[in-house]
Amino acid sequence: MKHFMKACAGLLLSGVLTTPSFAQKDYQPTSENVAARQQFAANKFGIFLHWGISSMFAQGEWYLQSNHINKDEYAKAAGGFYPARFDAKKWVTAFREAGAKYICFTTRHHDGFSMFDTRYSDYDIVDATPFRRDVVRELTDECRRQGLNVHFYYSHIDWTREDYPMGDSGRNTGKRPEKADWPSYFAFMNHQLEELIVNYSPDAIWFDGMWDQRSNPDFDWQLDEQYALIHRLKPSILIGNNHHLPPFPGEDIQLFERDLPGENKAGFSGESVVSRLPLETCETMNGMWGYKVTDQNYKSVKQLVRLLVGAAGKGANLLLNIGPQPDGELPALALDRLAGIGSWMEQYGETIYGTTAGDVPTRSWGVTTRKGNKQYVHILSLEDECLFLPVTKKVKRAAVYGENRPVKFRQTREGLLLEVGQLPDVADYIVELTMAE
């Protein structure tokens, strides 16, 4: 049956993609989509999961490309992929208890291996492995049971399929460039996306890979048609694309990689924050996205909390990555960090969830967040015992958050001076300001 479906892919899809009424150039989000954007922006914290047969090599998710492995030899790892300790309930429980509101799971990464049961390829976890279980189905169902939203990562590029035109990555893997056939590959992608949306009903699609054709600037990814298909299948679904450029028409989220919006320390997020779209930045717990056995350099709970707070102060969500082990377990250090974040969020989550960026933009000392008539001053580093804020709107009260202990302040036309005293050594010292109505 799969071989029949693959042979008919172009015929089945043509009626959808050529319908001009679905062009995204004049994209206007539906009311359901606007509501989904608002919910996404309020969630503030999600878990990214880079998992696939790449974990078998324990060298990170780019092992095939970075080590010039032959694609056919690499594919043999699927025959031994049996994550016997995978337990969707344990995973999702750990995420929920950490305070995460959604997950983003890699349904198909650049190595071309599908982590769901697809009709359009036999190179998937159900058909190519002895495990024969649909982990996307199990994770999606468990997230629904525990109240988490579900986003799907999907790669635009493929280092193993012959029909994907050779890009800037994926070389030296044994692909034959003369076999490139973009219409065939485009149809394959859209059929898989249709399967994912119709069969699993995700809340968002997270694309990755447009950067792969930068040496071919005239390459047409046909995003208008692809985005139109996705929004037709589920009008409320959110689309984000990690192309490291300002958002294109049809995109509902602006994504940043390894940097907070407006920063570009890692070199992946040089785009300006020019849209009114919800913002999300993704970052690793350690150094890699996929599992790497030697990468034990995990950020501390304090660092991760400050990363989350820093994102919220920019009005952005944090998508924090974990690379699960080949046996299906989450690494012990990742679980430890999740527990630490969860303890902090249980006590201080009110200052993060549902907030927007506060009236004072990011400063060297920290950030502010806002919700209703409350502003939260997140002090991450301060050598002095007083803090000046250029807040001119009237403040009725200042108190240490969670303690109801007043903080002395003086307000003038120039701003607000908080007398915070000597701060304790904590991840985040929060002063709650009650603003006049």
Side-chain angles (χ1 to χ4, degrees), residues 305 309 342-353 376 378 400-403 426 428-430:
V305 164
V309 170
S343 294
W344 189 90
M345 289 292 276
E346 186 175 10
Q347 188 172 357
Y348 301 108
E350 180 66 21
T351 71
I352 302 295
Y353 298 127
Y376 304 103
H378 299 265
V400 178
Y401 180 81
E403 298 181 14
V426 294
D428 181 14
Y429 190 80
I430 306 172

Side-chain angles (χ1 to χ4, degrees), residues 385-398 407-420 433:
E385 295 189 4
C386 293
L387 177 63
F388 176 77
L389 304 173
V391 174
T392 56
K393 295 178 182 177
K394 184 172 177 55
V395 175
K396 296 171 60 177
R397 186 172 188 269
V407 173
K408 292 182 180 180
F409 68 92
R410 286 176 286 165
Q411 190 167 23
T412 66
R413 286 185 299 178
E414 287 72 34
L416 184 74
L417 185 68
L418 294 174
E419 300 180 22
V420 295
L433 306 181

Side-chain angles (χ1 to χ4, degrees), residues 40 48 206-207 240-247 253-264 266-275 277-284 289 311 314-320:
F40 170 80
F48 212 175
W206 202 104
F207 282 120
N241 197 323
N242 189 37
H243 45 50
H244 309 153
L245 297 167
I253 308 167
Q254 184 171 1
L255 304 179
F256 300 84
E257 180 178 347
R258 290 191 183 272
D259 270 307
L260 298 179
E263 301 178 9
N264 193 25
F268 298 113
S269 298
E271 67 272 28
S272 300
V273 185
V274 295
S275 70
L277 299 181
L279 310 176
E280 179 188 78
T281 185
C282 59
E283 180 58 284
T284 55
W289 300 102
K314 298 271 192 178
N317 290 14
L318 174 65
L319 184 61
L320 185 61

Side-chain angles (χ1 to χ4, degrees), residues 143-178:
C143 282
R144 301 299 185 209
R145 280 190 285 268
Q146 297 202 36
L148 273 66
N149 286 357
V150 178
H151 300 182
F152 288 162
Y153 170 109
Y154 190 89
S155 174
H156 266 125
I157 71 176
D158 197 304
W159 295 331
T160 58
R161 283 183 63 98
E162 300 282 11
D163 53 359
Y164 173 74
M166 187 76 74
D168 298 335
S169 67
R171 301 181 184 276
N172 303 310
T173 63
K175 283 182 60 170
R176 292 169 292 178
E178 70 276 9

Side-chain angles (χ1 to χ4, degrees), residues 219-427:
F219 189 87
D220 184 5
W221 292 93
Q222 297 180 256
L223 294 181
D224 283 356
E225 296 166 81
Q226 192 168 71
Y227 290 176
L229 169 65
I230 293 168
H231 284 132
R232 181 185 68 80
L233 291 169
K234 185 175 180 180
S236 67
I237 201 167
L238 305 177
I239 296 175
N241 197 323
N242 189 37
H243 45 50
H244 309 153
L245 297 167
F248 299 157
E251 294 171 7
D252 306 294
I253 308 167
Q254 184 171 1
L255 304 179
F256 300 84
E257 180 178 347
R258 290 191 183 272
D259 270 307
L260 298 179
E263 301 178 9
N264 193 25
K265 299 172 185 176
F268 298 113
S269 298
E271 67 272 28
S272 300
V273 185
V274 295
S275 70
R276 294 181 177 272
L277 299 181
L279 310 176
E280 179 188 78
T281 185
C282 59
E283 180 58 284
T284 55
M285 275 196 181
N286 46 0
M288 298 294 293
W289 300 102
Y291 179 69
K292 185 175 182 179
V293 68
T294 58
D295 185 7
Q296 299 298 305
N297 187 28
Y298 280 72
K299 299 172 183 67
S300 67
V301 171
K302 185 176 183 179
Q303 288 175 303
L304 294 172
V305 164
R306 290 185 169 187
L307 187 61
L308 175 59
V309 170
K314 298 271 192 178
N317 290 14
L318 174 65
L319 184 61
L320 185 61
N321 183 76
I322 299 172
Q325 298 170 180
D327 65 357
E329 291 270 20
L330 300 177
L333 285 176
L335 289 170
D336 173 78
R337 300 307 190 264
L338 288 178
I341 296 170
S343 294
W344 189 90
M345 289 292 276
E346 186 175 10
Q347 188 172 357
Y348 301 108
E350 180 66 21
T351 71
I352 302 295
Y353 298 127
T355 62
T356 60
D359 290 352
V360 182
T362 301
R363 295 287 193 266
S364 59
W365 51 261
V367 303
T368 60
T369 57
R370 180 164 191 160
K371 184 190 300 180
N373 71 330
K374 301 289 187 181
Q375 287 212 61
Y376 304 103
V377 183
H378 299 265
I379 306 174
L380 308 180
S381 177
L382 185 67
E383 294 181 0
D384 302 317
E385 295 189 4
C386 293
L387 177 63
F388 176 77
L389 304 173
V391 174
T392 56
K393 295 178 182 177
K394 184 172 177 55
V395 175
K396 296 171 60 177
R397 186 172 188 269
V400 178
Y401 180 81
E403 298 181 14
N404 202 30
R405 176 164 53 86
V407 173
K408 292 182 180 180
F409 68 92
R410 286 176 286 165
Q411 190 167 23
T412 66
R413 286 185 299 178
E414 287 72 34
L416 184 74
L417 185 68
L418 294 174
E419 300 180 22
V420 295
Q422 189 69 38
L423 297 185
D425 183 18
V426 294

